[in-house]
Amino acid sequence: MIRIDSVTKRYPDGTVAVDNLSLEIPDRAITVFVGPSGCGKTTTLRMINRMIEPSTGTITIDGKDITKQPVNTLRRSMGYVIQNAGLFQHRTILDNIATVPRLLGWDKARARARARELMERVGLDGSLAKRYPYQLSGGQQQRVGVARALAADPPVLLMDEPFSAVDPVVRKGLQDELLRIQDELGKTIVFVTHDIDEAVKIGTMVAVMRTGGHLAQFAPPAELLSD
Ligand code: ADP
Ligand code: ADP
């Protein structure tokens, strides 16, 4: 379990992005941070993998302070997916997905076999393996991003507005796919979105953030109060 305990992030210019946030992110479930632009969602996500350090407060995983382990060990346990997939433009789809296993020292054949398996898992036709990212639709690129994040089989997936740039019909398909993947693989997923409908659809738990970095509500979708 990831536990965020009294975490505040103040940027050097004085902006308080996250204000005294405390909550527990359950294992093997989808926890969604939702709220308007600028309410501190991305900052929160990035503090979990230490791309950003809290000003005060602590984050623990299974009771251990994340600052007490090597940052590379922490990051290897967390796949990361961003809005425009962030794919390597000069590498094929297969090589994009195989990159992380290769970095972990897997031989080429094994890494590529793993990449093929993941393409199937995220619903990408194998015929796309040798294409480059620009030759795929936005929705397909996001699937590649998810496959790449899953490649080393990390227990945690951090997802920052992963489906926001694709059209509504494609987005619905990606949401369904993520729910299926979560169900099959039991990942701990932390998902950031500004879309309350998306939060309610995919969240096991929903953290509603407000401008100023305040946590307004933290509850299962069915128990959220409307306001
Ligand atoms: P969200 O993901 O909800 O849109 P962010 O976490 O990106 O919110 O940003 C929260 C607040 O912190 C915003 O006011 C934003 O402008 C500010 N912010 C983000 N990054 C920085 C930074 N590097 N320096 C100063 N302020 C920042
Ligand atoms: P979506 O509605 O999912 O975003 P697009 O209209 O962007 O789909 O693409 C539809 C199909 O055309 C997809 O199968 C995609 O792989 C293919 N495609 C898109 N751009 C290119 C390209 N530059 N070269 C080859 N195929 C492409």
Side-chain angles (χ1 to χ4, degrees):
M1 177 178 59
I2 302 171
R3 187 183 156 90
I4 299 177
D5 196 7
S6 309
V7 164
T8 291
K9 175 63 188 181
R10 182 188 298 270
Y11 285 107
D13 68 357
T15 304
V16 177
V18 174
D19 190 5
N20 196 27
L21 178 66
S22 296
L23 55 80
E24 286 176 358
I25 294 170
D27 286 342
R28 298 174 182 274
I30 303 180
T31 297
V32 181
F33 285 85
V34 66
S37 178
C39 71
K41 306 182 297 293
T42 295
T43 300
T44 301
L45 198 70
R46 289 184 176 171
M47 287 192 289
I48 294 171
N49 74 355
R50 295 188 61 198
M51 284 162 74
I52 296 175
E53 301 287 346
S55 307
T56 57
T58 52
I59 299 174
T60 58
I61 298 182
D62 299 332
K64 285 193 292 191
D65 189 330
I66 59 170
T67 63
K68 300 280 157 54
Q69 64 170 312
V71 71
N72 289 337
T73 308
L74 178 76
R75 296 221 179 116
R76 269 204 294 277
S77 72
M78 299 179 172
Y80 199 76
V81 186
I82 58 172
Q83 185 166 9
N84 289 306
L87 302 179
F88 306 119
Q89 294 301 320
H90 58 287
R91 288 189 199 164
T92 64
I93 298 315
L94 199 72
D95 286 341
N96 261 278
I97 301 168
T99 294
V100 174
R102 289 288 282 153
L103 287 172
L104 292 177
W106 295 25
D107 68 51
K108 205 168 202 164
R110 184 168 165 233
R112 289 194 161 172
R114 171 77 177 147
R116 290 252 174 217
E117 176 196 323
L118 282 161
M119 285 185 70
E120 199 180 325
R121 164 122 12 234
V122 301
L124 283 170
D125 195 89
S127 65
L128 300 173
K130 293 208 157 56
R131 290 202 193 179
Y132 287 84
Y134 75 91
Q135 296 170 309
L136 265 52
S137 71
Q140 289 171 329
Q141 290 189 36
Q142 287 310 111
R143 287 173 196 267
V144 178
V146 173
R148 189 178 60 178
L150 288 168
D153 202 21
V156 177
L157 272 190
L158 306 178
M159 309 186 79
D160 193 349
E161 301 262 6
F163 309 147
S164 296
V166 295
D167 70 65
V169 174
V170 175
R171 192 182 314 150
K172 187 180 174 307
L174 289 166
Q175 291 163 348
D176 292 338
E177 201 83 18
L178 186 69
L179 287 169
R180 192 180 56 69
I181 287 169
Q182 156 65 19
D183 197 45
E184 288 174 9
L185 301 180
K187 299 292 177 191
T188 298
I189 297 176
V190 188
F191 191 105
V192 162
T193 182
H194 60 262
D195 178 356
I196 187 70
D197 294 334
E198 183 167 64
V200 165
K201 175 175 172 184
I202 69 166
T204 316
M205 290 294 287
V206 178
V208 181
M209 306 274 292
R210 290 276 178 268
T211 307
H214 306 286
L215 180 65
Q217 296 190 62
F218 185 52
E223 294 172 22
L224 289 176
L225 309 168
S226 57
D227 54 26

